[in-house]
Amino acid sequence: MSILSGRSLGSWLAVLMITSASCATVAPPQALSPEPRPASTRATLHLGEKELADGRFVGLAFSGGGSRAAVFGAAVMKELDRVGLLSQVDVLSAVSGGALPAASYALEGYRDFSFQNGFVEQIGRDIQGAVAGPWYLVPHNLLRYALTDRIPSEQVIQALDERLFQGATFADLNPGKPILLLNATDALTGDPLIISDEQFASLGVPLAPFSIARAVYMSAAYPGVLEPLALSKGEAGRDGSGFLPVLAYDGGAADNLGIRTLMQVVDAAVSERLMADRFPQGCLIVSIDATGRQKNEARKPLSAAAALLRGHRRNVLELSGIPAAQQDRTMLGTFRVGQDGTGGTCRFWHVALRQLPESDPLGERVTHIKTNLGLSAEDQAALIGAAARLVARGREEMKRTTGWAAFNNTEPALLSLP
């Protein structure tokens, strides 16, 4: 669900040893920059000429799951690039750990961001170690955070920025790359908060100068562990003093797969024109799902949060055309889009770690990697191997499934439904 979940790390001590708000030597990245920036960005809910020109829609959704999700997402992207599909993607929708590869790809050309040169290694950098730094050796720091309920935000944002995003803002998104939509939750209402020009405009906050590292943190701030991030809404409070705040935390509270946002984009695109007219070459959503397995040998009851997360995943995949009983086996489905499902049909390709059985040594390993901000080289290599195996398996399944065989040839004209 989140980049970093304290309870999933085994103990609060492990969480406390990676946090400090007072010992950073460099000022944290600011949400706003004084330099003039363009009013719009590549984070928008509306498809433009670039996305509509080829007559098809391809969306790529990234799940949460910390560095497990980040590295797996990056590795699947490399496999999709190898088979010719990644260049056809119109929109990236990401949650939590999946936001790291999605945002990095959308920043292609910014400083040292290069998809063709060390992309997976870049995504696999140890963020957790950068958050910790040398401060945890000071006893009073450990004692201080042993008495807190939540981890302050700025040290995590600082590490994300220094280790990966290097001061990037939404104005730095590459116009030649897909639209980037990062998903958070409004902590005061429970409603989805899609980090986009449209939703930030409604808050009175310009998105162009907003820090990418800060947005990724918003998408990943696990409730009760990482503190929510406050935004000032552009309307005065009832007493006329100050502004009503908006608090944002983990986007996984509504959809930890990032799929619903892509459905929303497609629905909007076909609201005024028939699917056959808007996307005559077809519609496809690819889900990169890094959901792991939890060992529960003691047969302890799941927490309410864990149970809700599982339920949300099951429901979203059912909406995408994969029945609950088949969600860890079947990779392909179709679903209806548009108002009342009358707009047309979209294909769905589910690439999930849990599709590797636990009896398989690779499946047993990758689905039990903990949700944190750093992975060993061995775990990263296992996730890269899992990505290659699962994408190859999906292409084989397409050959055996009616109407999907042509999808192995990713020429645009072959993405449409028969």
Side-chain angles (χ1 to χ4, degrees), residues 52 266-280 342-343:
L52 297 172
V266 176
D267 284 346
V270 301
S271 62
E272 297 179 355
R273 294 183 61 182
L274 294 176
M275 183 81 157
D277 296 330
R278 179 68 82 187
F279 302 122
T342 58

Side-chain angles (χ1 to χ4, degrees), residues 60-63 92-96 98-100 102-103 180-184 219 257-258:
L60 187 57
F62 299 76
S63 82
L92 309 168
S93 172
V95 183
S96 193
L100 274 69
L180 174 68
L181 297 173
L182 303 182
N183 298 279
S219 180
L257 300 181

Side-chain angles (χ1 to χ4, degrees), residues 108-194:
E108 175 81 14
Y110 173 80
R111 297 198 177 182
D112 65 349
F113 284 93
S114 173
F115 182 74
Q116 299 301 333
N117 184 21
F119 182 74
V120 179
E121 292 77 11
Q122 184 180 44
I123 299 304
R125 290 173 180 172
D126 181 14
I127 306 297
Q128 185 163 310
V131 174
W135 77 271
Y136 66 85
L137 298 176
V138 181
H140 74 265
N141 281 336
L142 186 58
L143 177 61
R144 174 186 175 186
Y145 288 98
L147 302 176
T148 63
D149 292 328
R150 292 179 301 187
I151 299 169
S153 60
E154 294 302 333
Q155 191 76 5
V156 181
I157 295 170
Q158 179 74 26
L160 286 167
D161 204 59
E162 289 183 341
R163 204 70 167 165
L164 189 58
F165 295 115
Q166 305 175 52
T169 70
F170 280 83
D172 296 310
L173 296 176
N174 188 329
K177 291 300 177 183
I179 290 169
L180 174 68
L181 297 173
L182 303 182
N183 298 279
T185 301
D186 184 331
L188 299 179
T189 66
D191 295 330
L193 196 166
I194 304 170

Side-chain angles (χ1 to χ4, degrees), residues 187-205:
L188 299 179
T189 66
D191 295 330
L193 196 166
I194 304 170
I195 301 174
S196 63
D197 287 332
E198 293 81 5
Q199 291 216 328
F200 265 51
S202 72
L203 302 175
V205 179

Side-chain angles (χ1 to χ4, degrees), residues 26-43:
V26 181
Q30 298 300 307
L32 302 178
S33 168
E35 296 85 7
R37 297 284 189 167
S40 61
T41 74
R42 288 291 290 164

Side-chain angles (χ1 to χ4, degrees), residues 47 51 57-60 89-93 178-181 262 265:
L47 302 179
E51 292 75 38
F57 176 83
V58 180
L60 187 57
V89 171
D90 299 300
V91 182
L92 309 168
S93 172
I179 290 169
L180 174 68
L181 297 173
L262 295 177
V265 170

